Amino acid sequence: MLAEQKVMPLVLRYRSMEKAKSALCRRAADLVRAGDVIFIDGSTTTEGMGLYLLDKEDIRVITNNVALFLFLSEHGVDAVILGGNLLEPPYFLGGCETEGSAMRYHADKAFFSALRITKEGEISADAEYETLRRIMVRNSDASYFIGDSEKVYDRVSRRLFLPDEISGIISDYPFSDAVRAKYPETEFLI
């Protein structure tokens, strides 16, 4: 694959890899325990976790995804929206106000996605959400990247995290034994 491509329009990202995203979100939701406070970033990939959180007891979800916030709230899940500017209409908030809000919270777990991940596990950043994702990871006891195999590239030009900077990678891509051995403290949940 090429190192970089333009970002797919939001409406198409919702339809891309739907079955894989659903399975990954179900796996991610399995990590959530009763009483957890979790961050979920504004992405079409992580938004799917909402459906699998409805049976979790006494959880709180902190997000910058308006659609996820509304869905969870309508189903009685304690949800917090991180205010800010609408960066990607109609659902994703970002900017300094969102980042400032996120800094006030601590979570048991953070779940995020990003534009790309390399075959070596380097996670790529998109500048608009880079700071927010760094805050979420820093302010959480555990953090997990969720990404389907369509996000896997040979290289990226802007790195957000290496695998050893997060707790785990949830993906349908079969990372090599060499990559897993290089990052023994990182869970690779396939």
Side-chain angles (χ1 to χ4, degrees):
M1 288 187 199
L2 298 173
E4 299 292 337
Q5 290 180 346
K6 288 191 171 206
V7 176
M8 186 185 307
L10 182 64
V11 68
L12 296 179
R13 290 198 321 263
Y14 272 110
R15 293 285 185 228
S16 174
M17 303 291 287
E18 283 181 285
K19 286 184 180 182
K21 286 179 182 179
S22 179
L24 298 174
C25 287
R26 180 181 297 122
R27 179 65 178 101
D30 286 346
L31 299 171
V32 178
R33 302 289 172 246
D36 275 353
V37 174
I38 62 173
F39 279 118
I40 300 178
D41 78 339
S43 69
T44 59
T45 299
T46 57
E47 186 176 317
M49 281 183 70
L51 182 64
Y52 304 108
L53 296 174
L54 299 181
D55 64 342
K56 303 290 181 179
E57 293 183 26
D58 192 34
I59 65 168
R60 170 175 268 191
V61 177
I62 303 165
T63 187
N64 64 317
N65 182 326
V66 176
L68 178 61
F69 167 77
L70 292 171
F71 175 80
L72 292 172
S73 296
E74 288 170 0
H75 287 87
V77 177
D78 182 13
V80 175
I81 189 77
L82 291 174
N85 299 321
L86 192 59
L87 290 186
E88 196 166 2
Y91 303 121
F92 305 142
L93 303 176
C96 293
E97 290 178 23
T98 308
E99 294 157 6
S101 274
M103 283 192 268
R104 294 194 305 261
Y105 291 97
H106 176 270
D108 297 292
K109 297 172 184 89
F111 299 92
F112 69 99
S113 192
L115 290 176
R116 295 168 184 87
I117 185 169
T118 68
K119 294 173 182 175
E120 299 298 313
E122 294 180 44
I123 299 166
S124 176
D126 48 333
E128 293 175 326
Y129 298 109
E130 178 179 348
T131 302
L132 178 61
R133 288 179 178 132
R134 287 189 187 281
I135 292 166
M136 290 170 56
V137 167
R138 185 182 63 233
N139 289 7
S140 298
D141 295 335
S143 54
Y144 297 89
F145 170 81
I146 305 171
D148 60 74
S149 57
E150 194 171 82
K151 293 183 180 228
V152 178
Y153 284 72
D154 291 323
R155 60 189 172 94
V156 293
S157 60
R158 186 180 176 107
R159 185 174 65 215
L160 178 61
F161 295 112
L162 288 171
D164 59 359
E165 296 175 289
I166 60 173
S167 306
I169 295 173
I170 303 169
S171 181
D172 59 344
Y173 179 77
F175 289 93
S176 71
D177 290 340
V179 170
R180 291 169 183 253
K182 186 175 179 181
Y183 302 105
E185 300 297 316
T186 304
E187 290 182 90
F188 286 84
L189 306 169
I190 308 299

